[in-house]
Amino acid sequence: MRLAELQNRLCQSLLAGHSDQEWLALLADPSEQRERRLAVYRNNVRHALLSVLEAAFPVVQQLIGVECFTATALAFVARHPPHQPVLYQYGADLPAFLAAFQPLTELPWLADVARLEWARNAALFAAEQGRLTPGQLATVPSTQLSELRLKLHPSVRLLESSWPIHAIWDSHQPDGGPLEAVDLGVAEAVLVWRLNGTVHQRLLAVGEFALLAEFAANRPLADAVEIVAGRDFAFDLPTVLARCLSEGLLASLHGEDS
Amino acid sequence: MIETRNRAVVANRAGIGLRHPHLPDFLAAPQPAAWLEVHSENYLASGGPRVAALERLRGDYPLSCHGVGLSLGSAGGLDRAHLARLRELYHRLEPALVSEHLAWSIAPDGAFLADLLPLPYTRETLDVVAANINLAQEAFGRRLLIENPSTYLQFSEADWDEADFLAELAHRTGCGLLLDVNNLYVSALNHGADPLAPLDRLPLAAVEEIHIAGHARVATAFGELLIDDHGSAVAGPVWQLLAAVLARTGPKPVLVEWDTHIPALPVLLAEAERADFYLSEVKHAPG
């Protein structure tokens, strides 16, 4: 058997878990030992990829239990193995997989909780960049403020869900409240970002979410504020902007590394 | 900008594999580790605390980068995007040593299986691996060290055994050898062979680094299989094999790997101290 075919068939056999007798016949080991020896590699592959998903989706694992998570993750691994050897990026497709996974349709909010966990993972590994400071903002001439396009720090992620994903996530933290106390009828907008090496997350008010989304869309400040004010009558730009600056959500105007 | 500095040399001492749970210990205070080795693929992110920690620590400890994803045994050739990522990483970090495995992990359709899968030691495989090593050495502009794998099965079709295959590879590509003594032991026992036997035929003159680690023993219907899980202290017979290897190679940098059930840092450092004892008992390379 040529090397390419040998590798292709072993890959299929390892991921799908089926036995390939023609492949096993290539081995010098006694025939009754071959399946068991191959199983070491199958276990290694599954364990390695499962560990990556467990590390990225700890709350999803708590929500559905270890056994169910393992079965679900292995089904995902078999269908969507990583296609590059950079495993901190593996799992981006798990939320969409969960949304369509028949056995879990009774938990309609699960996929959005997974999206939140993936956003945390992405924030942890996002590029570093300097932050916009009040001092730097003050150097912008007032005549240019309306046309200013503020940029989000590369670690910032914005999520909107019809479910209380932040509350569900929070109830699975060591100091979180009970899951039973979460009102599943509440939609939430959540902000995730990294500051000083730590990933943070909090709820966003309607106006805050809209403003940050406009920044992400590269909208000039004056246009962004006009759009946001139309949606949130209580919106107060100075308050919101001051909080954005103190939390390090905006990128330096000069785009330099920090 | 990161300043470019000369590659700090890894001394013939025991180093440890730097793992995420120990980063806070290293960032809080200097640790008695002679040098550090990292898995290259764990530091390819654009940013974040781990990358920042390594950027800092590389200034304080000589560094070795151990790749676990280049898949030198892939019949389809190397993943060019990954080769470019690693090239950029090594350019930035300037590690003293760079290593990969005699194994494959990327299937022809591009799936990455996250394990070091076995190769038949045939002429076709030799051509594939030698071409891939040449390409990587050219891209990195440096000698690559190739590690002997732990294996659990053997192919009938073979033109060489593993020791002769590695000697042939070193001859054809000029690559160095990262001799993993635990893998040598695990593979030999899994195939009912004598772990000392390959030492006469391995290209020991090309050894630039040695690995040691713990392994697990699993009962099967046909006796025990040893699993290279890096999840415990180095086993007694592996220490003895290390002594036999060092007696032939002379002192070399020895790395202690511990990847599952990772203990507190002092436990790992104590293993390194023990390896240093074995190194101190060794005279310099004969001849």
Side-chain angles (χ1 to χ4, degrees):
Chain A
M1 193 182 283
R2 297 278 305 204
L3 187 59
E5 192 191 347
L6 181 152
Q7 295 181 337
N8 189 32
R9 289 174 67 154
L10 181 59
C11 174
Q12 299 308 319
S13 167
L14 291 177
L15 289 176
H18 68 74
S19 172
D20 181 339
Q21 291 306 320
E22 204 180 330
W23 196 95
L24 290 171
L26 299 174
L27 301 183
D29 305 288
S31 55
E32 70 277 10
Q33 298 183 5
R34 292 172 187 166
E35 286 277 11
R36 180 64 187 86
R37 288 176 179 274
L38 185 63
V40 176
Y41 293 99
R42 184 172 289 128
N43 290 341
N44 284 350
V45 170
R46 288 179 168 184
H47 178 76
L49 297 177
L50 183 59
S51 305
V52 172
L53 297 174
E54 283 174 340
F57 299 96
V59 171
V60 171
Q61 189 185 37
Q62 289 180 59
L63 281 165
I64 62 178
V66 172
E67 260 180 60
C68 179
F69 184 85
T70 300
T72 305
L74 289 179
F76 173 74
V77 164
R79 293 260 298 276
H80 306 277
H83 271 74
Q84 54 177 11
V86 186
L87 289 176
Y88 75 89
Q89 292 178 343
Y90 183 54
D93 298 330
L94 186 68
F97 178 84
L98 292 177
F101 194 53
Q102 202 59 36
L104 293 172
T105 44
E106 280 175 30
L107 307 175
W109 33 266
L110 190 67
D112 276 7
V113 175
R115 278 206 299 138
L116 173 59
E117 294 206 282
W118 188 254
R120 295 181 57 86
N121 193 72
L124 181 64
F125 294 111
E128 198 40 87
Q129 200 179 338
R131 320 268 171 166
L132 179 63
T133 60
Q136 194 182 57
L137 192 56
T139 65
V140 178
S142 55
T143 52
Q144 292 173 21
L145 272 176
S146 63
E147 282 305 307
L148 186 64
R149 294 170 201 267
L150 292 172
K151 291 189 170 45
L152 302 181
H153 185 266
S155 72
V156 171
R157 298 289 182 278
L158 304 171
L159 296 102
E160 253 185 326
S161 173
S162 340
W163 306 96
I165 53 175
H166 173 75
I168 293 172
W169 183 89
D170 198 50
S171 73
H172 288 80
Q173 302 312 305
D175 51 356
L179 181 61
E180 295 70 35
V182 174
D183 178 359
L184 288 176
V186 177
E188 284 183 352
V190 186
L191 166 71
V192 174
W193 79 108
R194 187 183 76 224
L195 186 64
N196 300 326
T198 304
V199 175
H200 300 268
Q201 137 186 354
R202 68 170 173 88
L203 286 176
L204 287 170
V206 176
E208 282 180 312
F209 180 88
L211 185 72
L212 292 171
E214 293 305 324
F215 289 166
N218 204 27
R219 192 90 60 193
L221 186 56
D223 296 354
V225 170
E226 192 180 321
I227 291 167
V228 174
R231 288 192 210 155
D232 179 359
F233 298 121
F235 182 73
D236 177 53
L237 181 66
T239 310
V240 171
L241 209 49
R243 188 165 183 192
C244 288
L245 293 174
S246 72
E247 290 178 330
L249 304 181
L250 302 175
S252 159
L253 297 177
H254 310 306
E256 83 274 22
D257 285 351
S258 73
Chain B
M1 275 299 286
I2 294 141
E3 66 176 291
T4 307
R5 62 188 89 197
N6 293 329
R7 291 169 189 172
V9 175
V10 166
N12 292 331
R13 302 244 340 252
I16 63 166
L18 181 65
R19 302 298 178 250
H20 298 144
H22 298 146
L23 283 177
D25 297 303
F26 275 92
L27 294 176
Q31 298 294 337
W35 56 284
L36 300 175
E37 183 167 279
V38 296
H39 288 171
S40 310
E41 279 73 11
N42 286 343
Y43 294 89
L44 290 173
S46 339
R50 290 176 194 167
V51 172
L54 187 60
E55 293 286 4
R56 204 183 115 186
L57 294 175
R58 70 184 271 276
D60 300 330
Y61 304 85
L63 182 68
S64 167
C65 284
H66 190 47
V68 293
L70 195 52
S71 192
L72 293 173
S74 276
L78 298 182
D79 174 338
R80 299 302 173 111
H82 195 57
L83 190 65
R85 270 181 221 121
L86 291 176
R87 177 194 157 99
E88 196 279 326
L89 181 77
Y90 299 153
H91 181 74
R92 203 153 42 90
L93 296 178
E94 292 246 299
L97 301 170
V98 172
S99 50
E100 283 283 342
H101 300 82
L102 176 59
W104 67 279
S105 47
I106 299 180
D109 72 351
F112 173 65
L113 295 164
D115 190 30
L116 301 164
L117 299 166
L119 289 163
Y121 297 130
T122 61
R123 280 172 209 289
E124 186 198 6
T125 304
L126 185 72
D127 288 341
V128 164
V129 179
N132 287 341
I133 290 175
N134 284 334
L135 189 62
Q137 292 192 136
E138 203 173 305
F140 302 156
R142 61 190 302 156
R143 189 186 203 195
L144 198 56
L145 311 184
I146 307 302
E147 178 180 332
N148 57 303
S150 51
T151 55
Y152 307 98
L153 50 77
Q154 284 184 310
F155 295 94
S156 308
E157 195 190 352
D159 296 308
W160 296 275
D161 74 358
E162 189 175 283
D164 290 334
F165 189 90
L166 282 162
E168 199 62 34
L169 266 185
H171 174 70
R172 281 191 33 178
T173 67
C175 70
L177 183 63
L178 191 181
L179 185 57
D180 189 310
V181 175
N182 183 57
N183 289 355
L184 204 59
Y185 182 79
V186 163
S187 296
L189 266 73
N190 285 342
H191 306 313
D194 174 5
L196 288 170
L199 294 185
D200 292 331
R201 288 173 296 105
L202 280 165
L204 294 184
V207 172
E208 284 195 43
E209 183 186 344
I210 291 170
H211 273 182
I212 51 173
H215 59 253
R217 293 173 170 271
V218 175
T220 75
F222 51 90
E224 272 187 340
L225 270 179
L226 303 195
I227 312 290
D228 176 40
D229 69 347
H230 298 183
S232 55
V234 177
V238 174
W239 285 115
Q240 289 166 27
L241 189 56
L242 173 69
V245 165
L246 290 174
R248 296 179 189 229
T249 61
K252 298 287 171 190
V254 175
L255 185 90
V256 184
E257 293 184 292
W258 204 319
D259 291 284
T260 55
H261 313 295
I262 297 176
L265 183 60
V267 177
L268 188 54
L269 291 170
E271 288 283 275
E273 205 174 319
R274 188 165 176 195
D276 269 330
F277 169 75
Y278 279 86
L279 279 165
S280 70
E281 293 283 287
V282 169
K283 295 187 177 62
H284 282 271

